[in-house]
Amino acid sequence: MTSSGSKTFTGNCGLVIIPDERTVATAIKFGEIPSVATYRVRRPHLTLHIASVCNLTNDAIHCALDSLIETLQVESTVGLTRQLSVFGESYLFWDAVRNKALEQAHRNALSLLTPVLAPASNQAAANQTGLQFTEDELKNIHTYGYPFVGELYRPHITLSFGQNMSASSSIPFPIDELSTMRIAQIAFVSVGDFGSIDSVLHSRDLK
């Protein structure tokens, strides 16, 4: 883990999009709904890529954030699906609609994190989740530390986690509140359990 004054980062991290305040408030509200949830989101975000890394430099992080801002300014709103979905019978997702800017931003995030991956840490994390991954998702975890990469990239906001989430009678259900989100910030974050944000280490506002 990075420390005060450190010029490198080692640990679980991610490059994420922080949505506008209305989307954040709505995501938190949706995360509260499933009665089976043992984790509910408190800092909603849309992941570009997450992984466990070793000795990622601050200079590389700042360059990546500048590049991501340039890419995402082209298309600063993101479509949101009208239904929530369940992944692995445990995670409740609010999926976003892929567009060219998001796909390019995902590739940029991969370019930053892949050269400094900590493969053993990523595989250990995958084994601890208890989720059933597809063969292609497992290949991505082995290679990149994250199941949703490349053609399988799945932009989403994680809302909550709980066993047998798919059995909840409240999920899925139609969403009337929002059909788009505005990108407020791009951030480099330390990542905790369930892909949650432990802390925002570096960020850029999208103006």
Side-chain angles (χ1 to χ4, degrees), residues 59-100:
D59 286 346
I61 294 167
H62 291 305
C63 286
L65 289 173
D66 290 340
S67 175
L68 289 169
I69 284 290
E70 184 176 350
T71 297
L72 291 168
Q73 280 177 334
V74 175
E75 204 162 351
S76 60
T77 59
V78 177
L80 296 168
T81 59
R82 307 293 288 188
Q83 271 192 327
L84 306 184
S85 60
V86 174
F87 173 73
E89 298 187 356
S90 298
Y91 281 94
L92 181 63
F93 286 174
W94 190 2
D95 288 301
V97 180
R98 285 175 58 159
N99 60 40
K100 290 183 179 180

Side-chain angles (χ1 to χ4, degrees), residues 1 4 26 35 42 49 52 56 64 73 78 81-82 96 105 118-119 129 153-154 159 162 202:
M1 186 66 66
S4 178
T26 304
S35 59
R42 288 294 173 263
H49 187 48
S52 181
L56 177 61
Q73 280 177 334
V78 177
T81 59
R82 307 293 288 188
T129 63
Y153 178 52
R154 181 179 182 176
L159 302 174
H202 306 278

